[in-house]
Amino acid sequence: MILDPLVRFKDAHSKGIIPDNVYDLTLKRFPITVAGINRIEKASGIRYPIAYVEPSLVLSTPNPNSYEYGILFARTIPVVFENKFQVVIQISAPLVAYGLKGTIHAILAHEFLHFLELIRKISKMELLSDEISGNLFENVYSDETRLFEPRVVFKDRTLLNHITKKFPAGFRDYKLEDKVTKFWINKNLPKINVSLDENTIKLPADALSKIKLDPAFVSRIEQLEEKSSKIRKKKLY
């Protein structure tokens, strides 16, 4: 799998796809991303999955004939590589280049919650050939009812503040979107367009049945799920 998280981004720069100024800015600001991953690991006590910087901006449209689009700043992608299951977090280069520290850390934390949810589903065999959507453009209601409760997972008050401010009901950061439009989209830098239909991934049932998870990790996730469930019940009554 990817060892250097910047390998695809560096390759795009060497081919002249990414200009020098954007390349330099992204490399200069990449330590903010690394610090975010370290912070999440410290706050949760769980290792962050493999992450890499995608040299393209990922845009999602509700349907092919629509002029509306959403920017996907990061995605949680399950992959089977050489018969081994991996979860990979794809971080878009524009987020690294133009996102504020709090925004970057909130998005990384949000994807981490998706990762935990994915492992939970696999451990309970709830996933069999189910479609997994790895985007921030998905139905907000299902997102909120499904994800682990952040304050159960993260022991970091500032990080929790970033998450609750950025994701009260789906992610929006207008300043970041304006910057990305001005410095990335309008400069014709690389983009990937995915429809919501395309942005779901099916894992074959035989691959799922072969996945071996660390029992200690599964036990930890069950504890987090139980605590999240208790908090949710308190909110309802």
Side-chain angles (χ1 to χ4, degrees):
M1 291 302 287
I2 299 156
L3 296 176
D4 176 3
L6 289 162
V7 67
R8 282 172 62 90
F9 185 70
K10 288 174 179 173
D11 184 50
H13 173 251
S14 68
K15 289 175 179 170
I17 298 166
I18 299 290
D20 291 346
N21 63 331
V22 175
Y23 178 77
D24 292 343
L25 178 63
T26 306
L27 255 58
K28 181 184 172 186
R29 302 192 81 244
F30 184 63
I32 297 171
T33 301
V34 176
I37 289 171
N38 292 339
R39 180 183 196 176
I40 289 160
E41 289 184 338
K42 187 180 176 184
S44 66
I46 299 170
R47 281 198 66 175
Y48 204 84
I50 291 167
Y52 78 97
V53 176
E54 167 59 48
S56 303
L57 177 67
V58 183
L59 300 173
S60 180
T61 52
N63 63 67
N65 301 318
S66 173
Y67 290 103
E68 294 178 9
Y69 63 84
I71 297 173
L72 308 182
F73 287 109
R75 297 194 289 169
T76 301
I77 304 173
V79 292
V80 177
F81 180 77
E82 294 180 353
N83 290 326
K84 286 184 182 172
F85 172 77
Q86 290 276 10
V87 177
V88 179
I89 308 290
Q90 180 192 74
I91 305 161
S92 75
L95 173 65
V96 179
Y98 307 115
L100 293 173
K101 177 183 168 182
T103 298
I104 293 172
H105 290 193
I107 289 175
L108 292 173
H110 188 79
E111 294 306 318
F112 185 75
L113 295 175
H114 276 296
F115 158 66
L116 294 181
E117 177 66 24
L118 193 54
I119 299 298
R120 185 196 70 78
K121 278 192 161 188
I122 287 167
S123 71
K124 294 187 183 301
M125 295 302 283
E126 285 177 15
L127 203 65
L128 289 175
S129 291
D130 195 6
E131 290 188 348
I132 309 155
S133 177
N135 66 47
L136 295 175
F137 206 66
E138 63 199 290
N139 184 290
V140 171
Y141 177 74
S142 69
D143 207 38
E144 291 199 333
T145 52
R146 195 169 50 125
L147 290 177
F148 286 84
E149 194 66 38
R151 59 198 153 132
V152 167
V153 178
F154 304 117
K155 305 290 180 271
D156 180 328
R157 192 167 288 173
T158 311
L159 182 62
L160 287 169
N161 284 340
H162 288 321
I163 296 167
T164 50
K165 280 179 187 170
K166 298 290 177 189
F167 292 94
F171 174 79
R172 287 314 294 261
D173 185 325
Y174 295 104
K175 283 185 179 176
L176 174 58
E177 289 175 17
D178 287 346
K179 274 188 175 180
V180 169
T181 301
K182 185 177 176 182
F183 298 116
W184 196 280
I185 296 173
N186 293 349
K187 303 275 185 190
N188 287 321
L189 293 182
K191 297 186 292 290
I192 299 170
N193 288 293
V194 292
S195 72
L196 288 184
D197 298 345
E198 289 172 38
N199 204 35
T200 53
I201 296 151
K202 277 193 176 181
L203 289 178
D206 62 329
L208 280 167
S209 63
K210 291 175 189 167
I211 295 169
K212 289 181 176 64
L213 298 172
D214 176 7
F217 185 28
V218 172
S219 173
R220 180 74 201 284
I221 283 179
E222 284 171 356
Q223 289 167 11
L224 294 173
E225 184 185 7
E226 196 177 319
K227 287 179 182 175
S228 293
S229 169
K230 282 178 183 172
I231 286 180
R232 291 241 158 85
K233 280 176 185 167
K234 278 182 186 173
K235 280 182 181 175
L236 289 173
Y237 298 109

